[in-house]
């Protein structure tokens, strides 16, 4: 696993990226401005830097140029911005950035960019060494449970405005769910919330940003809630936005 430096002046972005990348097994260093980024780079010698462009003191492009001109750009840098343009992306890559991610960043794009950056910079094995069989990086998210069968004492919950369908294991968008009432309140509530969030994640194509707006939760809290409930986020990484 790698040491990754996340540089962003937004606390929520730093916290969310830190939690996601920590779950992937990486060690995370955080900085909220260029001054902290410089110090962290010297201290931890990160394998990768995620660098925001728009920061209050020194912007990310200027810091990238500084590292390049002083011979300190010894690690791959992925630029991030919520106000980026094609010209910005071109400028970033011109001065040494490996990739450019536009906010809101999708989980799939984030993890793919990080994986590609680390693979490209990973040291190659010595020629005499036997080839190492690589294994795909997994995740620690639990797989969704199979929905309980319809039985006496159950309560169907239907979302208004959508045609009712019978939920199946691992089905994407299902507007009707069945919950057992003969169980402790906490378990029943967790089962409902898990199905509720899985429904909205599927409906919003996995976008964490849109689900957070729809449910009224802050994105970091939403991410932790989904993990607590055992929602399989790996199924939504292909389109989910941070």
């Amino acid at each position: 696993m790698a040491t990754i430096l996340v540089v962003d002046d937004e606390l929520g972005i730093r916290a969310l990226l830190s939690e996601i990348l920590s779950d992937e097994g990486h060690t995370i260093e955080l900085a909220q401005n260029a001054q902290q980024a410089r110090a962290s780079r010297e201290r931890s010698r990160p394998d990768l830097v995620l660098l925001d462009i728009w920061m209050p003191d020194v912007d990310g492009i200027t810091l990238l140029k500084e590292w390049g001109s002083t011979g300190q750009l010894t690690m791959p840098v992925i630029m991030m911005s919520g106000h980026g343009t094609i010209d910005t992306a071109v400028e970033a890559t011109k001065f040494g950035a490996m990739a450019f991610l536009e906010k809101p960043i999708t989980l799939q794009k984030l993890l793919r960019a990080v994986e590609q950056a680390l693979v490209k910079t990973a040291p190659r094995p010595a020629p005499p060494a036997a080839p190492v069989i690589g294994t795909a990086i997994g995740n620690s998210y639990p797989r969704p449970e199979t929905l309980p069968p319809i039985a006496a004492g159950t309560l169907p919950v239907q979302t208004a405005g959508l045609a009712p369908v019978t939920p199946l294991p691992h089905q994407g968008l299902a507007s009707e769910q069945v919950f057992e009432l003969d169980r402790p309140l906490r378990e029943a509530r967790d089962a409902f919330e898990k199905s509720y969030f899985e429904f909205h994640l599927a409906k919003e194509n996995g976008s964490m940003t849109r689900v957070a707006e729809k449910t009224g939760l802050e994105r970091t809290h939403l991410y932790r809630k989904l993990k607590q409930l055992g929602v399989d986020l790996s199924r939504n990484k292909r389109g989910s936005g941070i």
Side-chain angles (χ1 to χ4, degrees):
M1 295 296 99
T3 298
I4 300 176
L5 171 60
V6 176
V7 186
D8 198 299
D9 61 324
E10 294 186 46
L11 175 60
I13 297 295
R14 293 199 306 274
L16 187 56
L17 290 177
S18 175
E19 187 156 5
I20 292 173
L21 295 174
S22 293
D23 285 341
E24 295 294 321
H26 302 296
T27 299
I28 309 303
E29 295 284 335
L30 300 176
Q32 65 179 358
N33 53 45
Q35 180 180 357
Q36 292 183 5
R38 294 187 188 101
S40 182
R41 186 214 166 276
E42 289 299 317
R43 181 180 65 254
S44 61
R45 300 288 178 172
D47 301 297
L48 173 65
V49 177
L50 295 177
L51 178 59
D52 187 30
I53 290 182
W54 299 106
M55 295 188 295
D57 54 350
V58 177
D59 64 85
I61 296 292
T62 299
L63 182 59
L64 181 67
K65 293 179 183 178
E66 175 188 313
W67 282 341
S69 63
T70 57
Q72 299 182 80
L73 196 58
T74 57
M75 65 290 173
V77 175
I78 297 174
M79 305 300 293
M80 307 180 294
S81 177
H83 309 281
T85 63
I86 295 179
D87 291 339
T88 305
V90 171
E91 184 181 15
T93 55
K94 176 182 177 181
F95 289 105
M98 178 168 288
F100 178 88
L101 296 177
E102 185 178 2
K103 297 178 183 178
I105 305 170
T106 67
L107 281 173
Q108 186 242 2
K109 288 183 178 179
L110 170 67
L111 297 179
R112 183 174 59 188
V114 168
E115 182 179 3
Q116 290 177 346
L118 294 176
V119 167
K120 289 181 180 179
T121 57
R124 296 182 179 180
V132 178
I133 301 176
T135 56
I137 299 176
N139 56 65
S140 58
Y141 307 129
R143 304 181 67 84
E145 301 175 355
T146 302
L147 294 173
I150 299 176
T154 62
L155 174 65
V157 179
Q158 180 176 333
T159 303
L162 295 176
V165 295
T166 303
L168 297 174
H170 305 293
Q171 185 179 10
L173 186 62
S175 60
E176 182 176 289
Q177 301 288 331
V178 177
F179 303 96
E180 295 182 5
L181 298 181
D182 188 17
R183 61 196 303 185
L185 175 61
R186 181 181 181 84
E187 292 182 9
R189 184 178 63 238
D190 287 349
F192 170 78
E193 290 184 347
K194 182 173 183 289
S195 295
Y196 173 82
F197 286 117
E198 286 178 336
F199 171 83
H200 284 289
L201 279 169
K203 184 178 179 182
E204 300 297 343
N205 196 29
S207 170
M208 297 277 281
T209 298
R210 290 196 294 269
V211 173
E213 293 173 353
K214 183 67 177 291
T215 59
L217 296 177
E218 196 273 329
R219 284 177 296 182
T220 304
H221 177 67
L222 172 62
Y223 181 77
R224 292 172 180 167
K225 184 70 173 178
L226 295 177
K227 288 192 59 184
Q228 176 188 345
L229 293 171
V231 176
D232 185 6
L233 295 178
S234 63
R235 291 191 301 148
N236 298 297
K237 284 181 180 178
R238 293 187 176 180
S240 53
I242 293 176

